[in-house]
Amino acid sequence: MDRFKPRAEDTHGELAFSVVVPVYNEQDSVVPLCDQIRAACDPLGRPYEILLVDDGSSDRTPEILNDLARRDPRVRPIRFRKNYGQTAAMQAGFELSRGKVIVSMDGDLQNDPADIPRMLAKIDDGFDVVCGWRRRRQDKFLTRRVPSIIANWIIGRLTGVRIHDNGCSLKAYRASNIKSVKLYGEMHRFIPAMATLTDAKIAELVVNHRARRFGASKYGLGRVWRVILDIIVIKMITSFGSRPALWFGLWSMPFMLLGGFLLVAFAAFGVGGTPEAWLVGSTSAFLLFVLGANLLSLGIIGELVVKTGDHPVRPVTRTTVDFLEVENGENEHA
Amino acid sequence: MAKTNTLDFRETEGTRPERAVELSVLVTVSERPDDLTEVYEQYSRALAAAGMPYEFIFVLDGPWPEALDQLRRLKQLHPEIQVVKLNRWFGEATALAVGFDRAQGSTVITLPSYFQVDPAELPRMIRAFHEGRADLLIAWRHPRVDSRFNRLQSWAFRSITRFLTGTRLHDVSCGLRIMRARVAAEVRPYGDLHRFLPLLADQRGFRVEELQVRQSPRDSVRRVYQPGVYLRRLLDVLALFFIFKFTKKPLRFFGLVGSALAAAGVAITGYLGVYRLLELGPIANRPLLILGVLLMVLGVQLFSIGLLGEIIIFTHARQVKDYEIQDRDDD
């Protein structure tokens, strides 16, 4: 079993950077992808590695990955037993990476590896997280881009991390920073917001985005509801993750106040009114009180959970976001 | 844990094989055991036909005086058998776990303590396992030879399981399973979830396959259980459904159900409000009003319980591992 745990020497710092690419049924893309990454990164002259996390592909991806690794020791394939999803693949890549900086990107060639050097330069400038912004997205407008614009706007408003493109996989992180953020569920879409938990300095960079050449898109419109719920969770965790009693307490306030108001109103004026009004009013008031009290007690349980957990309890701080929208030379690689 | 409570037969330790054997055969004696002497004779004959060195382990789950006597006699005749007796009834899941801990073989076979499948099918099953790529191979009793009542309840159980977990296996709860030692080491069934061992293995990313085998004619006794048993089975499947689907995203479930209930509550209350404003009649005496308001309360409750679940997951995310790695480079 020990073989499958991250080893001590897997900690960051050995290499200059690691490129982490989750791949799932991408047999046609991985070879050109690797070639492009090498073409972009070799001129930098820094030691790096390419971690290809195979998320339980059912096509020929595993053999191709092994073949790539045989020919180039910098390519490290990691194979999941079955399909666990993109967040798990990224998390595994992060945990097993050995670079001081981690660059994540999609395995479908829609991200352009030629953007990697610019992202690394931003990290060198002192930022902890550099997010790609697919300003000229090559996706369907109505089903992919409109929901994304709305979601990014809401995430920005709620979490205070106002970047344009949370969903872009091409991102660079300082390893010491991102490794302290544990990803789970489908949180890879919200890494910038999650990174605020570690007081990260975040920058945004316009990156190239290319139309899909191979394979099919693995997302659809049917995930709107799930994204809404995820946004609520992100808001709660980034703002109140260490103080759930505060969050639940705030939510119980309107119920309690409304209940109290109703009760006073009906006690003062309702006695003279019809029995019907008295019944409806007082019952609603009592129920609102019950609800508020319930929320409050849930908050207290939440507080207990957090106290016994392993995320450090610390005050919430605002994270600075740097809007350096560097235009890139899209024509160079188009 | 039950392990500390195990009472070994004294002579068991001495005869326990030192070297790793190829096959570990595990029989848990939990409910409705057939004559264990006959069980052993038939199984060992079939295993001898398979032609592999094996160890035979009986785990006696609780005080079954009759079974205990049979095992004592069996142990005198065949001292190489290992017998573990649990000092009270712990349930089959625990018995299996105890057996898994003692198993030395690289392959583990679990067998029921009664005739469920035709023992003559064992060699074929073992061969299929060694030739195939599955990590766990489960028997599928097909075609069924037992009573229509048995088949009906099996069919109902299978349909519910398939509907809730999406499994394509036909006979999930069959007692005959062959698995790699690694599956036995990693998959720890608890409670009543041993019935779903193949699904738990599948969840951890192991390759699970099934093989059609002849059902034993002795399996055809009409089985009628207490109503509580049926209820427990249903709850087990439901528990599995939640474990598989929502443990990592509690708000997905609670949020969905909560908002649906709250929306229904708002609709009902809104309808009554309009009804009252149009002066169609009094509403305070209508139970529908209480229902509507309570639905809203319940909806908010469920939603916030989902949020609390999310906090728990976030706080303990470090212990939660979302994936199992099959291979990685070890340069």
Side-chain angles (χ1 to χ4, degrees):
Chain A
M1 272 308 288
D2 288 341
R3 189 163 104 83
F4 299 94
K5 285 177 188 153
R7 294 164 300 182
E9 65 264 34
D10 278 340
T11 49
H12 50 88
E14 271 180 49
L15 300 166
F17 62 96
S18 307
V19 182
V20 173
V21 190
V23 287
Y24 178 53
N25 289 343
E26 302 279 7
Q27 55 182 12
D28 302 315
S29 329
V30 279
V31 173
L33 179 78
C34 266
D35 289 342
Q36 290 176 16
I37 293 175
R38 282 186 288 230
C41 297
D42 284 346
L44 293 171
R46 298 198 230 172
Y48 69 97
E49 62 179 357
I50 306 172
L51 277 114
L52 298 166
V53 188
D54 174 16
D55 190 11
S57 297
S58 52
D59 62 357
R60 288 186 51 245
T61 307
E63 293 101 77
I64 296 170
L65 293 191
N66 285 339
D67 196 46
L68 279 168
R70 257 196 302 281
R71 276 192 256 142
D72 184 351
R74 289 176 302 183
V75 176
R76 297 173 61 201
I78 294 163
R79 178 159 169 69
F80 280 0
R81 276 193 205 150
K82 60 179 265 191
N83 183 252
Y84 286 104
Q86 209 180 350
T87 302
M90 286 216 182
Q91 183 63 25
F94 290 173
E95 272 169 17
L96 297 172
S97 68
R98 295 183 289 214
K100 288 192 185 71
V101 176
I102 299 171
V103 179
S104 66
M105 61 189 298
D106 273 339
D108 57 8
L109 288 173
Q110 285 197 276
N111 294 135
D112 187 352
D115 289 317
I116 293 175
R118 286 170 45 242
M119 310 210 70
L120 292 172
K122 271 265 154 261
I123 298 273
D124 289 341
D125 287 348
F127 292 99
D128 299 302
V129 179
V130 181
C131 306
W133 171 17
R134 298 164 291 179
R135 197 175 203 174
R136 308 214 175 120
R137 247 183 109 164
Q138 305 293 319
D139 280 321
K140 289 205 184 74
F141 184 73
L142 212 59
T143 55
R144 301 290 303 275
R145 293 176 58 187
V146 169
S148 151
I149 290 166
I150 298 170
N152 281 308
W153 183 80
I154 296 173
I155 295 168
R157 291 308 299 256
L158 285 177
T159 63
V161 184
R162 299 192 187 195
I163 59 171
H164 295 85
D165 194 358
N166 281 282
C168 180
S169 295
L170 182 55
K171 293 192 178 81
Y173 317 90
R174 200 175 295 284
S176 54
N177 194 287
I178 195 65
K179 282 190 178 180
S180 62
V181 178
K182 169 82 194 184
L183 302 178
Y184 64 94
E186 288 176 19
M187 294 306 183
H188 66 274
R189 290 200 197 97
F190 307 101
I191 292 175
M194 294 289 278
T196 60
L197 291 167
T198 62
D199 288 329
K201 265 183 87 186
I202 299 170
E204 193 173 41
L205 208 57
V206 173
V207 296
N208 197 4
H209 192 243
R210 307 179 288 194
R212 188 167 249 286
R213 275 167 64 201
F214 306 106
S217 169
K218 280 131 200 160
Y219 296 117
L221 194 57
R223 58 199 167 95
V224 171
W225 170 249
R226 289 184 287 163
V227 172
I228 292 173
L229 289 180
D230 282 349
I231 291 173
I232 294 173
V233 173
I234 284 289
K235 168 67 183 167
M236 176 181 70
I237 282 172
T238 53
S239 315
F240 299 95
S242 53
R243 300 301 315 276
L246 204 59
W247 163 269
F248 283 104
L250 282 178
W251 275 108
S252 74
M253 272 307 150
F255 295 111
M256 294 286 235
L257 285 177
L258 190 62
F261 171 76
L262 273 181
L263 206 59
V264 170
F266 278 94
F269 312 107
V271 187
T274 61
E276 186 194 16
W278 176 234
L279 188 72
V280 173
S282 56
T283 312
S284 318
F286 295 145
L287 279 174
L288 285 167
F289 264 126
V290 168
L291 194 55
N294 264 318
L295 286 178
L296 266 182
S297 29
L298 279 182
I300 291 163
I301 297 288
E303 204 80 358
L304 288 178
V305 170
V306 170
K307 290 255 159 59
T308 55
D310 52 14
H311 269 272
V313 179
R314 46 171 214 82
V316 178
T317 51
R318 278 270 163 251
T319 303
T320 46
V321 183
D322 182 90
F323 286 100
L324 280 170
E325 295 164 12
V326 182
E327 279 298 338
N328 74 335
E330 282 175 350
N331 301 328
E332 279 174 43
H333 324 290
Chain B
M1 261 315 286
K3 239 191 102 191
T4 54
N5 292 324
T6 55
L7 285 177
D8 286 337
F9 276 52
R10 233 171 252 118
E11 60 271 67
T12 305
E13 285 302 328
T15 52
R16 204 170 155 189
E18 304 290 352
R19 62 189 173 79
V21 288
E22 208 139 335
L23 275 182
S24 294
V25 182
L26 190 60
V27 177
T28 49
V29 187
S30 220
E31 41 187 303
R32 61 169 177 131
D34 278 334
D35 179 18
L36 292 176
T37 323
E38 199 192 342
V39 165
Y40 176 72
E41 301 292 339
Q42 293 228 21
Y43 282 155
S44 60
R45 200 175 310 140
L47 286 163
M52 279 173 124
Y54 64 90
E55 58 173 359
F56 208 104
I57 306 171
F58 274 105
V59 181
L60 186 59
D61 182 22
W64 302 87
E66 206 181 317
L68 191 61
D69 280 348
Q70 289 167 0
L71 285 179
R72 278 221 174 90
R73 257 178 277 129
L74 210 54
K75 178 83 188 166
Q76 274 161 9
L77 283 170
H78 309 279
E80 72 277 6
I81 304 177
Q82 299 177 47
V83 180
V84 183
K85 177 181 169 290
L86 307 184
N87 58 359
R88 68 169 175 83
W89 184 83
F90 284 99
E92 201 170 329
T94 308
L96 267 181
V98 169
F100 284 165
D101 283 340
R102 299 187 71 91
Q104 309 255 309
S106 53
T107 304
V108 179
I109 305 187
T110 66
L111 287 167
S113 57
Y114 49 93
F115 293 102
Q116 197 177 33
V117 298
D118 187 349
E121 293 276 52
L122 259 178
R124 188 167 71 90
M125 185 105 176
I126 295 170
R127 215 176 317 121
F129 178 75
H130 283 294
E131 282 162 9
R133 289 179 58 209
D135 296 306
L136 187 151
L137 184 66
I138 182 154
W140 168 20
R141 290 166 282 174
H142 186 86
R144 303 283 296 232
V145 294
D146 50 349
S147 70
R148 198 165 287 169
F149 180 78
N150 279 1
R151 268 184 276 176
L152 182 72
Q153 63 187 18
S154 293
W155 172 84
F157 177 70
R158 181 183 307 171
S159 309
I160 295 170
T161 311
R162 185 177 291 181
F163 174 70
L164 284 176
T165 64
T167 181
R168 60 200 158 66
L169 300 174
H170 292 85
D171 201 358
V172 168
S173 52
C174 185
L176 170 54
R177 325 168 182 98
I178 307 186
M179 66 197 93
R180 294 187 203 291
R182 191 151 161 218
V183 180
E186 264 189 51
V187 181
R188 294 270 112 153
Y190 58 92
D192 268 340
L193 292 186
H194 59 89
R195 257 185 211 91
F196 306 100
L197 192 72
L199 302 186
L200 295 172
D202 180 68
Q203 176 71 6
R204 291 191 69 93
F206 289 110
R207 182 189 283 259
V208 178
E209 277 162 22
E210 62 185 357
L211 184 73
Q212 288 188 7
V213 297
R214 271 198 309 278
Q215 191 182 12
S216 165
R218 312 253 303 258
D219 192 32
S220 60
V221 199
R222 190 178 164 137
R223 291 186 292 273
V224 186
Y225 303 103
Q226 306 267 317
V229 174
Y230 292 107
L231 186 66
R232 280 212 300 276
R233 296 281 152 86
L234 185 65
L235 290 178
D236 285 342
V237 188
L238 277 175
L240 207 66
F241 170 68
F242 283 104
I243 291 169
F244 283 1
K245 270 211 116 115
F246 297 113
T247 39
K248 266 150 210 157
K249 35 207 165 186
L251 193 63
R252 290 271 166 84
F253 173 74
F254 287 107
L256 187 69
V257 177
S259 356
L261 289 180
V266 168
I268 290 173
T269 319
Y271 158 75
L272 286 176
V274 171
Y275 184 84
R276 182 71 186 83
L277 287 176
L278 295 177
E279 308 214 318
L280 295 171
I283 56 169
N285 56 349
R286 297 189 59 170
L288 198 60
L289 178 68
I290 296 181
L291 177 70
V293 176
L294 280 178
L295 278 179
M296 284 195 279
V297 172
L298 188 60
V300 176
Q301 275 299 334
L302 285 181
F303 200 92
S304 33
I305 284 176
L307 285 174
L308 187 63
E310 291 284 347
I311 289 180
I312 294 176
I313 299 279
F314 169 70
T315 323
H316 296 276
R318 252 162 245 284
Q319 290 109 328
V320 180
K321 198 159 143 239
D322 275 354
Y323 54 87
E324 296 292 335
I325 291 176
Q326 167 116 40
D327 301 305
R328 48 175 277 212
D329 62 316
D330 260 314
D331 53 311

